[in-house]
Amino acid sequence: MDTTEPAPIIGSQYQAGDIAWTLTCTALVWLMIPGIGYFYSGMARSKNALSLIMLSCCSVAVVSVQWFLFGYSLAFSKTGSKMIGNFENAFFRGILDEASVGSAKIPDIVFMIYQCMFAALTPALAIGAAAERGRIVPTLVFIFLWTTFVYDFIACWTWSANGWSFVMGGLDFAGGTPVHISSGGAALAYAIVLGRRAGDRKDFRPHSMSNVVIGTCFLWFGWFGFNGGSALSANLRGAMACVVTNLAASVGGLTWVLLDYRHERKLSVLGFCSGAVAGLVAITPGSGYVSPASSVAIGFLGSCACNLAVLLKHRLKYDDAFDVFAVHGVGGIVGNILTGIFAQKWVAALDGVTVIAGGWLDGNWIQVPYQIADSAAGLAWSFGVTFLILVIMNKIPGLALRVGADHEHRGLDLAELGEMAYGHLDEKNVNISGVDHSMEIGRPGSGSQSINSVNEVKIGSVDTLGRQKPNTATATA
């Protein structure tokens, strides 16, 4: 009679609920990436809309391969240094059922795929600054290099147990520095190196607010997994992170709308979407450390700061197409600092494990300097290394960053992809005088019913698509 005991099931030491929650949040964060594509495509001209959705989806593919080769090992190997990991877990060697570096409650393989989505999302945010003029193939090469030399470094020092910021005592629950400040700094460098878009600034108007709203909904929905999932366990701390995330986004959206209302006396849909994202960005580093009341303040202050930061590109003359630095860079910095003020010990302790000294509300006055040091280091590293990568790439034959003038005039969808976001639009309509007329209200094929459609909002002598209004005589003729 065989009395041999059956071998234990691999991974049986973990709670199935914790694994299920983290894998669900992995899918939610993945959904944010095409959400970025739709958000950006709506704010672009229609002749460039498809290229932005394509780049966001390609970011998942490129980073997933990099993560398999060595990215995860560089960021999270358990024997890494204060700055960067090593190749111990390259090709996912040793990644299975051991307790993860992020939490002893889930295995390595679950933590690895969850963090892969963060790594894929971050460059998708940054490349928005290059919209409508950046070549696609060099952008994909940039994503691979940037993830290796920027994201992996910052993720290591922020979240790895050996990282200098983690050891110092910096608080960053879900990516204020690795995701938002790093993408903001990279976007600023990209915008400076590429230069301004060709054409009249009046032409650079959103072509589809529907896409912007859809993208915002994907982002807001996915952010529950982004912040709530960073608890890496199905517990009260994760639930609190979801609560404060939703509150900050709500307050941020309403705040931005009211700030813009004073200019035009209209409730801006774009303003609400921008404010909601600003609130989400600002709450990210503190989502596992702050109370609901504090999240209201963070959403309000983050939205105000980002709204003001949008003016920087006009004063400093750089063309950050979708205000990535203003929303993600500035929002991340503000969120980091406010985390140092509002972080509380009792919130962190909701998972039954985490012990922190808290922030200013708990009398820990050194926390804000820690947060400033982490923010400054992240911004400086991201901007400096990104700038260097782009300058070097631009000198390599075949990797020139910017499209030619004719391709920029034609639009990246046709010039780089050979396809368009809207199949019923003809190329001639998209390229008249370099202005995207394809979605003008009242033109044949535009989908509008009348030249007097209420959807055509006119400002001064220029309509919402940047086209000069014809005078009466010309119109009559």
Side-chain angles (χ1 to χ4, degrees):
M1 182 176 179
D2 187 5
T3 58
T4 305
E5 294 184 5
I9 299 174
I10 296 176
S12 59
Q13 66 268 38
Y14 303 104
Q15 292 292 326
D18 293 336
I19 293 176
W21 169 244
T22 307
L23 290 177
T24 300
C25 290
T26 300
L28 290 175
V29 178
W30 184 94
L31 189 63
M32 295 173 67
I33 302 172
I36 294 168
Y38 273 91
F39 186 81
Y40 286 168
S41 75
M43 291 194 290
R45 289 170 288 181
S46 64
K47 63 182 179 180
N48 299 298
L50 186 61
S51 65
L52 291 161
I53 299 173
M54 170 73 167
L55 281 171
S56 295
C57 293
C58 283
S59 181
V60 180
V62 171
V63 174
S64 293
V65 172
Q66 190 268 358
W67 210 238
F68 165 71
L69 293 175
F70 48 71
Y72 176 75
S73 189
L74 289 178
F76 293 107
S77 59
K78 296 172 183 176
T79 57
S81 69
K82 293 182 178 180
M83 283 292 294
I84 191 64
N86 51 39
F87 295 100
E88 178 185 18
N89 301 120
F91 303 102
F92 291 165
R93 291 177 302 171
I95 302 299
L96 187 58
D97 65 326
E98 290 188 13
S100 72
V101 66
S103 170
K105 295 184 177 183
I106 58 172
D108 273 333
I109 193 169
V110 175
F111 180 73
M112 176 277 297
I113 190 62
Y114 180 65
Q115 285 297 330
C116 180
M117 297 303 106
F118 280 62
L121 179 145
T122 307
L125 291 172
I127 58 179
E132 304 193 318
R133 64 207 189 279
R135 291 178 61 217
I136 291 177
V137 171
T139 301
L140 298 180
V141 174
F142 168 79
I143 288 173
F144 188 95
L145 295 174
W146 187 88
T147 304
T148 302
F149 294 107
V150 178
Y151 181 84
D152 291 347
F153 277 80
I154 299 178
C156 177
W157 77 49
T158 302
W159 287 323
S160 171
N162 300 321
W164 68 263
S165 179
F166 185 90
V167 173
M168 175 184 69
L171 300 178
D172 192 338
F173 189 67
T177 302
V179 176
H180 297 299
I181 294 177
S182 70
S183 63
L188 181 61
Y190 219 142
I192 292 172
V193 172
L194 273 189
R196 300 175 67 84
R197 286 170 286 180
D200 191 333
R201 189 163 61 89
K202 298 186 183 71
D203 298 338
F204 306 146
R205 298 180 181 274
H207 89 277
S208 172
M209 285 308 305
S210 296
N211 277 9
V212 175
V213 173
I214 290 171
T216 303
C217 291
F218 280 5
L219 288 169
W220 195 329
F221 181 70
W223 227 292
F224 288 108
F226 193 82
N227 287 354
S230 291
L232 301 176
S233 180
N235 56 35
L236 278 177
R237 194 180 186 197
M240 179 64 78
C242 290
V243 170
V244 299
T245 296
N246 189 61
L247 262 177
S250 302
V251 173
L254 294 173
T255 299
W256 197 300
V257 166
L258 294 176
L259 288 172
D260 282 358
Y261 184 82
R262 73 187 194 278
H263 296 303
E264 301 292 339
R265 293 295 185 269
K266 290 183 174 60
L267 302 175
S268 168
V269 176
L270 181 59
F272 179 80
C273 293
S274 300
V277 173
L280 290 165
V281 170
I283 195 61
T284 292
S287 53
Y289 301 109
V290 303
S291 68
S294 297
S295 72
V296 172
I298 291 173
F300 173 76
L301 295 173
S303 185
C304 289
C306 295
N307 184 281
L308 293 174
V310 170
L311 301 175
L312 286 174
K313 70 178 183 180
H314 303 302
R315 295 189 177 183
L316 300 181
K317 307 297 183 184
Y318 64 87
D319 188 9
D320 182 354
F322 306 136
D323 300 312
V324 183
F325 176 71
V327 174
H328 294 276
V330 173
I333 292 170
V334 170
N336 268 0
I337 294 172
L338 293 177
T339 297
I341 295 173
F342 293 113
Q344 292 183 276
K345 293 179 282 190
W346 73 267
V347 177
L350 288 174
D351 61 4
V353 176
T354 304
V355 177
I356 64 170
W360 282 9
L361 289 185
D362 286 341
N364 183 29
W365 310 112
I366 194 62
Q367 194 60 52
V368 167
Y370 285 166
Q371 301 299 106
I372 293 174
D374 178 79
S375 301
L379 181 61
W381 182 270
S382 181
F383 178 85
V385 176
T386 302
F387 193 90
L388 186 62
I389 291 172
L390 292 171
V391 169
I392 293 173
M393 282 183 60
N394 212 25
K395 295 182 180 297
I396 298 175
L399 291 182
L401 300 172
R402 183 161 183 156
V403 298
D406 56 332
H407 282 194
E408 185 175 357
H409 174 84
R410 190 182 183 197
L412 300 190
D413 290 0
L414 284 172
E416 294 269 296
L417 302 178
E419 299 167 327
M420 295 189 67
Y422 307 98
H424 64 282
L425 303 179
D426 58 82
E427 183 178 348
K428 179 181 177 182
N429 228 12
V430 175
N431 289 287
I432 299 173
S433 304
V435 179
D436 186 353
H437 294 299
S438 58
M439 298 300 290
E440 288 183 10
I441 306 299
R443 289 183 64 89
S446 68
S448 62
Q449 296 180 357
S450 168
I451 192 79
N452 297 315
S453 169
V454 295
N455 292 322
E456 184 174 21
V457 180
K458 308 259 180 145
I459 302 175
S461 62
V462 181
D463 69 16
T464 55
L465 291 160
R467 176 169 52 95
Q468 293 291 329
K469 296 181 187 177
N471 57 43
T472 306
T474 304
T476 304

